[in-house]
Amino acid sequence: MHPALSLSTLRIGEFATISGLDAQNELYLRLTAMGLRIGKQVQLLRSAAFSGPLHVRVGTTDIMLRKTEAARVQVTAVIPAGASIAS
């Protein structure tokens, strides 16, 4: 069993699967509208310095998220950077 992680704890290049959204209705709707839905695979592409936003990819869509918002996105099944992904 993988420990509970959030999108904000991923390392650059890592992939994970969204397992939950811990957000109130308004933020939940905003995150899902951007494509962050349970079961979707995400990848952390970049992390800005000084607690700046995170650049993540969901499918073919790139999104910039505040770290506080990314902390609300629960993920599992982290695949290390450089590992191949079976489709």
Side-chain angles (χ1 to χ4, degrees):
M1 188 82 168
H2 295 283
L5 300 172
S6 73
L7 184 54
S8 65
T9 61
L10 293 182
R11 294 184 184 153
I12 294 171
E14 285 184 326
F15 291 86
T17 302
I18 298 173
S19 60
L21 298 173
D22 181 23
Q24 293 183 0
N25 194 45
E26 186 176 312
L27 180 57
Y28 180 88
L29 293 174
R30 183 169 169 256
L31 293 172
T32 58
M34 289 190 290
L36 295 165
R37 295 185 182 97
I38 295 172
K40 290 283 196 171
Q41 188 175 66
V42 294
Q43 179 186 22
L44 179 62
L45 299 176
R46 290 187 285 188
S47 178
F50 305 110
S51 296
L54 301 177
H55 179 185
V56 299
R57 180 168 291 150
V58 181
T60 58
T61 304
D62 287 5
I63 301 168
M64 299 296 287
L65 283 177
R66 293 181 188 103
K67 286 189 179 181
T68 56
E69 294 169 347
R72 300 277 185 184
V73 179
Q74 300 161 348
V75 297
T76 58
V78 174
I79 302 167
S84 64
I85 300 172
S87 294

